[in-house]
Amino acid sequence: MPAFDYDLFVIGGGSGGVRSGRLAASLGKKVAIAEEFRYGGTCVIRGCVPKKLYVYASQFSEHFEDAAGFGWTVGESTFDWKKLVAAKEQEITRLEGLYQKGLNNAGAEILHTRAELVGPNTVRLLDSGKTVTAERIVIAVGGHPTPHDALPGHEHCISSNEAFDLAELPKSILIAGGGYIAVEFANVFHGLGVETTLIYRGKEILSRFDHDLRRGLHVAMEEKGIRILCEDIIQSVALDADGKRVAHTMKHGDIVADQVMLALGRVPNTRGLGLEAAGVKTDERGAIIVDAFSRTSAPGIYALGDVTDRVQLTPVAIHEAMCFIETEYKNNPVSPDHDLIATAVFSQPEIGTVGLTEEEATRRFDELEVYRAEFRPMKATLSGRKEKMIMKLIVNAADRKVLGAHILGHDAGEMAQLLGISLKAGCTKDDFDRTMAVHPTAAEELVTMYSPSYRIRKGERV
């Protein structure tokens, strides 16, 4: 039996990599983990965590306005962008320290270097040039924003990575994209007082979400003052004499803004990783191909998280890591479950969703019952805000099983997490109907929609 330097070597210090490394080390395995940037990965350093902090910051402008309807007199308010950036940095540094502390306490060796594969079971550490071997190797290097190199003037644009640390808050910004990253940042910047335009090639934002929520959010964003240009693209970006970005669009002429942000998807971080040398196969997008147990085409090499392009969500990467540990070190083969994943878009208002959209369910089931409620939330009755909530349940008429639940409104993400449990358990609409409402809440609508708003039979609304 060959001798290896490590039982497990992890490349990538994000959520999936850290979880797999920490758990393996806690089982007594000799583990090393290498990260070339900062521990915590996309989520902690330049994704979910700083984004949510910025979402909170951007909501205060509306909170101050709403307070007046409840009898509060709020004085003149000002916003300090640099103070927010510094506070964010302090928090992600704290979290990064906790990630490393967990690894250290478990006994894993923490390396601050880029690591690349140079052959089966073999890794080179770039800072020293040292080569080490491992019985098992986990690749969990995540992804990065698509640079859109084909766009003339792309070098004048920023991505979500740079958006968190701009030296100054721009007075205006043009954001290209219609996915959740583009939509969330459009709401963040607008809430911080930035003149915001969103441009998207599709007919409607958030293409993979239920159409009622997509349209409802679009209307709400425009009512706030965000300009949304659908079915259009940026064709080039240039700098004018004042250093502003001039984006030439296909349908709306030139748009001048202080910043142009490209939020046009993400791609796996596999370039230059040495995958070919190790026999690890990738698909046409560069994502590592894995089987049901996260095994790559190369024996002893596994891949987790965004680098596999299965489901690009932090909890999914963590789940995949835990399944890897169960399978490889506990003699309990467990395949990651990617079905019925609850998710949220931290737009303003929020979207929370789990299960099939109406469009997806229509293609898969002969007859559906659709329960839909649209209403003004209680808080808005005194604040005077026009924003509405939308709640929607998609039910299979044959067995009354709830196939999808979709919410647009405040705290939709929190509700989606709990709905995820219900749908995962296979609850029926009868189970929802038997559940007593919590009053007064917005969520009570989920258990008081007793009659279908409409039915869909053989793809036709009836």
Side-chain angles (χ1 to χ4, degrees), residues 317-332:
I318 293 172
H319 173 66
E320 291 169 359
M322 296 171 71
C323 290
F324 162 76
I325 294 296
E326 289 290 326
T327 301
E328 297 301 321
Y329 293 121
K330 294 187 177 182
N331 196 30
N332 178 33

Side-chain angles (χ1 to χ4, degrees), residues 211-256:
H211 67 89
D212 276 334
L213 272 61
R214 297 166 66 194
R215 188 59 198 164
L217 178 59
H218 185 140
V219 171
M221 288 172 64
E222 288 191 324
E223 287 180 346
K224 290 174 185 289
I226 299 172
R227 185 185 183 198
I228 301 178
L229 310 175
C230 288
E231 297 185 278
D232 199 0
I233 60 171
I234 298 174
Q235 294 181 312
S236 65
V237 179
L239 293 180
D240 67 10
D242 298 322
K244 291 182 177 293
R245 279 71 177 167
V246 181
H248 182 67
T249 69
M250 183 173 65
K251 293 184 177 180
H252 291 86
D254 289 344
I255 298 176
V256 180

Side-chain angles (χ1 to χ4, degrees), residues 149-200:
D149 292 337
L151 174 69
H154 69 274
E155 66 274 14
H156 304 308
C157 306
I158 63 170
S159 71
S160 57
N161 286 355
E162 295 79 36
F164 291 113
D165 297 292
L166 293 172
E168 302 288 343
L169 182 67
K171 290 184 173 58
S172 58
I173 191 168
L174 171 64
I175 301 175
Y180 74 93
I181 294 175
V183 168
E184 288 173 340
F185 271 101
N187 282 275
V188 164
F189 279 114
H190 175 265
L192 297 178
V194 179
E195 181 184 327
T196 303
T197 301
L198 186 70
I199 185 169
Y200 178 50

